[in-house]
Amino acid sequence: MFGAAVNVTGRLFCTPAPGPGRYPQHVRHADTLTYLDHAATTPMRPEAVEAMLPFMTERFANPSGSHRFARSIRQVVDECRDVVAEVIGCEPGEVIFTGCGTESDNAAIVGTLQRHGGIAVCSAAEHHAVLHAVEHGGGRVVAVDEAARVDLEALEAVLDDDVSLVSVMAVNNEVGSINPLADAATLVRTRAPRALLHTDAVQAACWIDLRAITPLVHLMALSAHKFGGPKGVGVLTARKGTVLAPLLQGGGQERDRRSGTHNVPGIVAMAEALRLTDIERVAENLRLTKLRDRLVDTLKGRLDELIETVPRDAKIAGSAHVCFGGVESEALLFMLDEAGVCASAASACASGAMEPSHVLAAMGVDPRYARGALRLTLGRTTTDADIDRAIDVLVDAVNRLRGVSP
Ligand code: PLP
């Protein structure tokens, strides 16, 4: 068993895709649901499920142990680190495995403030994993433009020697806009040269080559369940020489930067999912741009009082964010849910309850339209048939809510 376990690369990353019926839950899901909520989470890739299974059964050793079995698993974790680093475009030693995107964001922000003092700055449209951490530390929140991108003049105005960290997300989780990270990086370098630049790239991995982002930032957060890996595992990259106070005290794993026994199955599946996402990214961008455009253009043709919140050239391919006048999101989502269409309005929150969107408020969306916001997000499993069905169900639901007879 040990001998077979040592040379893992072939087994880890060259497993064939599972045959039909191997994962019956996928089949059932596809038959009954039209899933357009990929920004909340996207289904695991079968190859990632396959890759992680041995590490939940016979290959269970703790990689921090000293025996041969443990060392073989440590080697697997290091191979995964190499794969992740290659896709991110950083050194393997700059990859820290964490428990989720929220932890990665918190580790970057809290870890910087605890180690270096000073003040954190972020944009008003950040995910709560960043926004709450910055606000909790008494930080500064900067305005965004009408597409939820950081306002560079407002950012420049708050940068000074007191600022130790700036956090600007790569892609907004609610409306899908892409931030001008290169411009933000230049501002930080010139106006607050002491400060670290962190980016929450949790929504970026499926759409943007992370290698283009990495040289711009000191810290970057990723979460596996947004790109076909499992929930409960993430990455924080920390550029060489970037020192943070660790959030967790304990066994000193991840070179004292993140204590806690490694989630080996999660790390294996995450690495496999990220590797495949990187290979397919360009083709998927093209395929899903067409589907997204058809979805939004058809809705615009069949329904009036519909606004597209962010221009398409300012956002990722997988995001369709629209607002309907004269419709309440909550009622619309209820009707979509009844028809088996999964979508969302603001981002998912722990209670599942609807909360007013801080992102739309920061963008200055007319409240009459903001009340009827709908986020439809596409992903790897989205098909033409999903788009057809979503259009029919949505047009019917909006007309019924507006009291228009079919
Ligand atoms: N940041 C962004 C932009 C997100 O969209 C999410 C999840 O929705 C998170 C952070 C949190 O990631 P996780 O669910 O892994 O904690």
Side-chain angles (χ1 to χ4, degrees):
M1 172 183 165
F2 296 152
V6 173
N7 181 8
V8 294
T9 315
R11 273 198 69 197
L12 247 185
F13 298 127
C14 298
T15 44
R22 191 98 171 255
Y23 295 112
Q25 74 274 25
H26 285 240
V27 177
R28 275 206 307 274
H29 152 90
D31 281 352
T32 56
L33 292 179
T34 301
Y35 186 80
L36 290 174
D37 201 13
H38 288 266
T41 197
T42 197
M44 275 191 74
R45 286 177 173 269
E47 301 90 334
V49 175
E50 190 90 345
M52 80 194 289
L53 290 177
F55 299 91
M56 303 170 89
T57 52
E58 75 268 24
R59 307 192 66 194
F60 60 85
N62 185 331
S64 300
S66 56
H67 42 74
R68 192 153 36 121
F69 186 20
R71 289 202 306 274
S72 74
I73 304 301
R74 188 147 71 241
Q75 186 181 332
V76 171
V77 172
D78 284 339
E79 287 177 14
C80 292
R81 198 185 304 283
D82 291 346
V83 170
V84 169
E86 204 284 309
V87 176
I88 291 174
C90 67
E91 294 294 319
E94 295 174 322
V95 172
I96 306 168
F97 292 125
T98 67
C100 59
T102 302
E103 183 193 325
S104 300
D105 283 332
N106 272 255
I109 296 159
V110 179
T112 300
L113 294 178
Q114 279 184 3
R115 182 70 165 74
H116 303 285
I119 285 175
V121 167
C122 75
S123 90
E126 296 290 314
H127 188 274
H128 286 139
V130 167
L131 195 57
H132 288 174
V134 168
E135 286 171 344
H136 189 72
R140 300 171 183 164
V141 177
V142 169
V144 293
D145 67 11
E146 67 293 339
R149 296 168 299 200
V150 66
D151 178 328
L152 292 167
E153 279 179 20
L155 178 61
E156 184 169 14
V158 301
L159 293 180
D160 57 32
D161 284 344
D162 293 336
V163 175
S164 55
L165 179 119
V166 177
S167 189
V168 176
M169 70 202 312
V171 172
N172 183 273
N173 49 296
E174 217 168 293
V175 296
S177 47
I178 302 168
N179 257 309
L181 272 179
D183 296 336
T186 305
L187 274 184
V188 172
R189 229 181 8 256
T190 51
R191 300 287 165 162
R194 235 171 46 86
L196 302 176
L197 179 58
H198 167 62
T199 191
D200 175 339
V202 165
Q203 294 288 346
C206 291
W207 316 106
I208 296 177
D209 187 348
L210 299 173
R211 298 170 190 90
I213 298 177
T214 299
L216 304 173
V217 299
H218 300 88
L219 298 153
M220 175 161 69
L222 295 174
S223 175
H225 74 102
K226 307 293 187 181
F227 53 79
K231 293 159 186 69
V233 60
V235 167
L236 174 66
T237 64
R239 192 193 287 176
K240 203 170 173 183
T242 303
V243 187
L244 306 174
L247 277 189
L248 304 180
Q249 305 295 333
Q253 287 88 348
E254 295 295 275
R255 296 211 253 136
D256 284 333
R257 294 171 300 180
R258 199 278 184 178
S259 284
T261 299
H262 290 95
N263 171 1
V264 179
I267 289 168
V268 168
M270 173 167 67
E272 178 64 339
L274 190 61
R275 186 183 74 85
L276 293 169
T277 298
D278 183 46
I279 292 171
E280 294 170 9
R281 196 185 54 255
V282 173
E284 279 295 85
N285 262 298
L286 289 172
R287 185 181 77 87
L288 291 170
T289 299
K290 286 192 195 127
L291 289 187
R292 188 270 317 270
D293 289 353
R294 185 162 75 79
L295 171 64
V296 179
D297 290 339
T298 312
L299 289 175
K300 277 172 127 175
R302 288 176 60 183
L303 293 167
D304 53 17
E305 285 208 84
L306 179 163
I307 56 166
E308 235 181 311
T309 339
V310 168
R312 289 179 216 172
D313 60 2
K315 64 192 291 187
I316 54 161
S319 162
H321 191 279
V322 290
C323 292
F324 300 96
V327 168
E328 297 286 328
S329 298
E330 201 151 3
L332 181 57
L333 285 175
F334 179 80
M335 290 178 74
L336 296 185
D337 194 29
E338 289 282 289
V341 175
C342 304
S344 62
S347 52
C349 81
S351 64
M354 263 325 225
E355 295 190 344
S357 160
H358 68 286
V359 176
L360 298 186
M363 291 163 68
V365 175
D366 176 348
R368 179 176 137 71
Y369 278 98
R371 276 196 292 277
L374 183 69
R375 179 181 80 167
L376 298 158
T377 47
L378 291 65
R380 187 181 51 85
T381 56
T382 306
T383 61
D384 262 305
D386 288 328
I387 300 303
D388 292 339
R389 178 124 206 293
I391 290 168
D392 287 345
V393 170
L394 247 168
V395 169
D396 179 58
V398 171
N399 280 336
R400 279 203 280 154
L401 287 168
R402 287 178 173 164
V404 178
S405 20

